Amino acid sequence: MGIKGLTKLLSDYAPGCMREQKFEGYLDRKVAIDASMHIYQFMMVVGRSGEQQLTNEAGEVTSHLQGMFTRTLRMLKAGIKPVYVFDGKPPTMKGGELAKRKDKREAAESALEKAKEAGDQEEIEKLSKRTVRVSKVHSEEVMKLARFLGLPVFEAPCEAEATCAALCKAGLVYAAASEDMDTLCFSTPKLARNLMAPSSQEKPILEFDFDKLLAGLELTWDQFIDVCILCGCDYCDSIKGIGPVNALKYIKQYGNIEGLLEHLDKEKYPVPDDWPYKEARVLFKNPEVVQTDGLTLKWTAPDEEAVVAFLCGEKSFNEDRIRKQLADLKKARSQGGQNRLETFFGAATVKSSTVGKRKEPEKGKGKFGAAGGKKSKGVTKRKF
Amino acid sequence: MFEARLVQGSLLKKVLESIKDLVTDANFDCSNNGFALQAMDSSHVSLVALLLRSDGFEHYRCDRNMTMGMNLSNMSKMLKCAGNEDIITMKADDTGDVVTFMFESPDQDKISDFELKLMDIDSEHLGIPDTEYAATVKMPSSEFMRICRDLSSIGDTVTISVSKDGVKFSTTGDIGQANITCRQNTSVDKEEQTIIELQEPVTLTFALRYLNSFTKATPLAPTVQLQMSKELPVVVQYLIADMGYVRYYLAPKIEDDETAEAA
């Protein structure tokens, strides 16, 4: 999923495009959220213990609803205006990647059986996370919940993150929110990560600015896409032996993948036989997205009764708890909306200190944390 | 080279107390004009603008414009080490990465040097247009502080209505509601006066949390000035005698009409 090693590459070579923002800092901001990706995350972690997931009395999984409900309410209470975008049909190009994922899942399933026989609890938990599958029903349930909560919901014609990026490009939202770094390949002006992280982790929102990213890497959008394809994306294979750092180096040196192929030592770096990188480019450049012309986004008050009937009636959630959370939200809403100062005075300009030391990005936050910040200073200046 | 000597050192301490709750890290701008700052709170609902004019310092030198990033709570920690009667001098090199605060006791028998590490940070600035406001209220700053504090024990927001008779502060909460009206009052003692200048009546609602943190500037000035216009942020200004000002801007609450607007 996503682009392999891109976060690290950016933190090393274009640290200026990444900014940590406080969750409260997103007040009154409209954000397009890649919901499909988040459902998957919730199914993996929310309410899980061992192989067990949250379910209702009928045994249907409800982790995704629990996750969506709490995280959505957290955003709404903070005055954030989310738009949910769901995956449509996967692009045919993704077939290879999807088949790989399916294989992995099946491998995990058979390993899980073994672990169960052996009774290894840790293994069971680890493997059962890998067997998570998001069905159409799960997405539709979350869509239903989002509509009851009064949020705009879109079903993307194709990949959700492409539509998120399109909404952001059209100026309908401030940022696209996804953990999937390939959202940047769709040239979303702003990408926000960790927006849906649980409040207990206290992760700041990590914001990527696309213009600064290109400026920092000294690439054009087309070149950036080529770098991402070389790093490894969902749509096609990459060249074995070329990692993110080399990908950046070669694209800068040769301009694009074609240029690289002319010069590449094909003995050392075997190029995949059937390598549809040109088609992958098209998918990033001209993805199928929701039509944004003349589109307006509307948020309405949550339909409390509908939410309760759905979550508590059908899905065995605790009614008192749901009602209390909805009441909290209502109270927060009743105090009226709060605009940001930019609404009145126009966009802010950024001013940097002329002296002093730059604080390095915090390290070791999760798997894709902005690691290696220290190295970046020396490396960014190196000329290829 | 930047150097500024302030005989009334306690002023700088008070200035810092007035902004450090709102902003964590900020860029200070040093120029020939003076020592200034503009910063927003993390949710970008309020803004503070500070100006200490160069002519207000006993000695002021700024060879080149500088923007110094500081962590305000660390700066405040250092300034708290200065005595209230101390003379404070700030010093920084054009290329260094520290700012030095020197405290001299009034009788010159104790001199302290504190060096604060500077930070290279990005701060966001807004271009605030000069506007004529529909209503201007001048009132004792301690009175304003008291009102904000009292009302925040009842509700979370305050509605401020200015008419030619006076200014009314009202709030509603779970336990009930409260209204406080201050009438125009031109008493002999200037610091006790409440003066209203009005083009047209204005009513706006604000989050009390922010107003309460603005009133941390109360020790800086006996009078506070509120400026309001329909659908615009309020300006809360504290004038620092012979030096400049601390000004706060706060975006008003808006009625949620349930149907949202286009972006």
Side-chain angles (χ1 to χ4, degrees):
Chain A
M1 192 138 173
I3 308 296
K4 291 190 192 81
L6 183 58
T7 313
K8 167 113 173 51
L9 187 76
L10 293 181
S11 75
D12 284 353
Y13 293 88
C17 77
M18 295 161 74
R19 257 181 64 165
E20 285 188 357
Q21 294 268 16
K22 290 197 172 127
F23 190 74
E24 313 86 72
Y26 264 54
L27 173 118
D28 196 31
R29 283 198 162 146
K30 302 178 176 85
V31 189
I33 294 173
D34 176 356
S36 295
M37 192 228 80
H38 287 99
I39 295 178
Y40 189 77
Q41 271 196 331
F42 293 146
M43 304 260 297
M44 287 208 289
V45 289
V46 174
R48 173 179 289 272
S49 77
E51 207 193 349
Q52 297 288 308
Q53 280 176 287
L54 285 183
T55 57
N56 65 359
E57 282 153 358
E60 296 160 351
V61 174
T62 53
S63 292
H64 56 303
L65 294 171
Q66 172 68 43
M68 270 297 171
F69 183 72
T70 25
R71 310 283 163 86
T72 306
L73 255 68
R74 176 170 180 239
M75 284 192 276
L76 290 174
K77 278 184 211 159
I80 299 173
K81 296 177 170 170
V83 182
Y84 282 135
V85 183
F86 293 82
D87 275 336
K89 282 195 208 79
T92 39
M93 296 261 321
K94 215 173 170 177
E97 170 71 18
L98 292 177
K100 259 191 239 165
R101 284 186 203 168
K102 193 164 167 254
D103 288 348
K104 272 192 199 159
R105 196 161 59 217
E106 277 162 7
E109 271 165 13
S110 60
L112 177 62
E113 288 305 317
K114 279 191 204 129
K116 270 198 240 171
E117 276 168 34
D120 183 345
Q121 284 306 321
E122 240 174 76
E123 273 299 295
I124 291 179
E125 173 150 352
K126 206 169 94 192
L127 289 166
S128 60
K129 276 186 191 171
R130 286 194 208 149
T131 59
V132 163
R133 178 180 332 204
V134 178
S135 74
K136 189 87 190 145
V137 180
H138 296 138
S139 297
E140 274 165 7
E141 283 172 350
V142 171
M143 245 182 255
K144 199 162 149 188
L145 176 63
R147 289 208 178 93
F148 288 152
L149 288 171
L151 312 178
V153 172
F154 291 101
E155 200 171 351
C158 197
E159 299 248 52
E161 60 263 36
T163 291
C164 290
L167 291 171
C168 189
K169 268 197 264 186
L172 287 162
V173 296
Y174 171 78
S178 176
E179 302 304 305
D180 199 342
M181 290 296 283
D182 68 9
T183 317
L184 284 169
C185 297
F186 297 111
S187 80
T188 179
K190 282 210 160 59
L191 168 67
R193 292 181 61 178
N194 302 338
L195 189 68
M196 295 281 263
S199 52
S200 57
Q201 286 185 4
E202 291 182 7
K203 272 193 195 166
I205 293 173
L206 191 58
E207 197 179 281
F208 294 82
D209 185 300
F210 191 68
D211 287 339
K212 285 188 190 154
L213 177 152
L214 292 184
L217 296 178
E218 299 168 23
L219 295 177
T220 62
W221 179 18
D222 291 323
Q223 288 175 324
F224 175 66
I225 290 176
D226 278 7
V227 170
C228 290
I229 291 174
L230 287 172
C231 288
C233 65
D234 290 348
Y235 301 141
C236 61
D237 288 331
S238 53
I239 301 175
K240 227 176 164 172
I242 297 185
V245 176
N246 278 328
L248 179 63
K249 184 172 116 183
Y250 290 141
I251 294 300
K252 278 198 184 180
Q253 197 170 344
Y254 302 118
N256 52 26
I257 293 183
E258 283 85 350
L260 165 64
L261 289 178
E262 271 173 41
H263 295 85
L264 193 70
D265 176 357
K266 303 215 173 59
E267 295 290 307
K268 212 168 141 198
Y269 302 110
V271 178
D273 295 336
D274 175 26
W275 196 35
Y277 66 91
K278 284 186 183 151
E279 287 81 356
R281 273 184 195 158
V282 176
L283 279 180
F284 283 131
K285 261 248 61 179
N286 294 310
E288 262 188 89
V289 294
V290 164
Q291 184 64 31
T292 54
D293 288 347
L295 194 68
T296 51
L297 303 173
K298 278 198 170 83
W299 285 263
T300 53
D303 182 344
E304 186 176 332
E305 292 314 315
V307 173
V308 169
F310 176 53
L311 287 183
C312 310
E314 288 178 43
K315 299 291 171 190
S316 326
F317 279 64
N318 179 327
E319 183 167 341
D320 290 345
R321 213 164 47 88
I322 298 295
R323 286 214 188 262
K324 185 173 175 300
Q325 296 207 37
L326 288 171
D328 285 351
L329 174 62
K330 206 169 169 184
K331 195 176 163 218
R333 285 178 65 99
S334 71
Q335 285 160 7
Q338 173 76 66
N339 282 134
R340 304 164 70 87
L341 282 172
E342 285 98 323
T343 323
F344 306 97
F345 296 142
T349 50
V350 172
K351 190 165 186 179
S352 302
S353 317
T354 55
V355 284
K357 280 213 176 76
R358 173 71 43 174
K359 190 177 141 204
E360 280 156 13
E362 283 186 51
K363 286 171 206 161
K365 273 191 184 154
K367 183 155 67 156
F368 300 109
K374 204 163 217 158
K375 233 168 63 188
S376 64
K377 286 230 159 148
V379 186
T380 34
K381 293 203 178 94
R382 192 191 291 160
K383 284 275 182 304
F384 287 110
Chain B
M1 177 80 186
F2 165 71
E3 203 171 67
R5 183 179 157 94
L6 187 62
V7 176
Q8 208 190 334
S10 60
L11 208 90
L12 196 61
K13 294 170 64 139
K14 289 179 194 162
V15 162
L16 217 68
E17 289 311 298
S18 73
I19 52 181
K20 80 168 173 44
D21 286 357
L22 220 52
V23 188
T24 30
D25 298 327
N27 269 326
F28 285 89
D29 295 314
C30 313
S31 68
N32 273 330
N33 200 19
F35 187 69
L37 163 147
Q38 199 209 76
M40 277 186 275
D41 75 288
S42 63
S43 48
H44 288 203
V45 169
S46 67
L47 178 145
V48 53
L50 160 76
L51 175 65
L52 298 176
R53 281 191 309 271
S54 50
D55 56 27
F57 291 89
E58 188 204 27
H59 163 76
Y60 190 93
R61 175 180 163 193
C62 181
D63 301 342
R64 187 149 32 122
N65 287 0
M66 278 171 83
T67 304
M68 301 193 288
M70 295 187 219
N71 174 287
L72 296 185
S73 80
N74 292 343
M75 184 179 176
S76 150
K77 268 182 208 160
M78 292 198 170
L79 290 177
K80 276 193 176 143
C81 302
N84 276 334
E85 310 300 321
D86 284 2
I87 300 164
I88 299 183
T89 308
M90 296 184 278
K91 276 187 265 189
D93 282 334
D94 289 348
T95 53
D97 54 7
V98 291
V99 57
T100 308
F101 301 105
M102 185 172 78
F103 312 140
E104 298 164 68
S105 66
D107 43 13
Q108 299 288 321
D109 54 1
K110 180 178 159 198
I111 294 173
S112 330
D113 272 313
F114 285 74
E115 265 185 16
L116 177 69
K117 287 182 190 155
L118 292 175
M119 305 155 66
D120 177 8
I121 51 172
D122 295 329
S123 58
E124 290 175 282
H125 283 233
L126 292 182
I128 299 166
D130 274 327
T131 19
E132 287 274 314
Y133 284 88
T136 303
V137 178
K138 287 196 186 100
M139 62 189 288
S141 58
S142 55
E143 189 60 55
F144 179 63
M145 178 171 75
R146 176 79 203 259
I147 290 170
C148 292
R149 198 181 61 208
D150 288 352
L151 293 186
S152 60
S153 65
I154 315 279
D156 296 327
T157 58
V158 59
T159 300
I160 308 180
S161 323
V162 191
S163 65
K164 64 179 193 311
D165 306 326
V167 50
K168 186 170 102 179
F169 301 86
S170 18
T171 190
T172 313
D174 290 342
I175 59 166
Q177 52 173 306
N179 294 296
I180 300 172
T181 305
C182 298
R183 291 231 170 78
Q184 173 119 300
N185 154 16
T186 46
S187 67
V188 194
D189 188 350
K190 250 195 146 176
E191 294 183 0
E192 295 295 314
Q193 288 178 346
T194 298
I195 298 168
I196 293 165
E197 289 160 29
L198 199 69
Q199 315 292 329
E200 59 173 338
V202 187
T203 299
L204 289 172
T205 303
F206 301 98
L208 274 164
R209 187 158 66 91
Y210 294 96
L211 291 176
N212 265 323
S213 65
F214 298 171
T215 59
K216 294 280 189 314
T218 306
L220 281 169
T223 312
V224 61
Q225 175 182 284
L226 312 179
Q227 287 176 298
M228 308 206 304
S229 281
K230 196 168 168 262
E231 287 165 11
L232 269 188
V234 62
V235 190
V236 179
Q237 174 172 273
Y238 295 85
L239 283 179
I240 307 170
D242 307 320
M243 286 286 301
Y245 56 78
V246 178
R247 244 179 231 163
Y248 302 94
Y249 295 81
L250 176 60
K253 288 272 187 178
I254 34 153
E255 288 297 319
D256 233 356
D257 51 1
E258 297 297 271
T259 53
E261 68 286 27

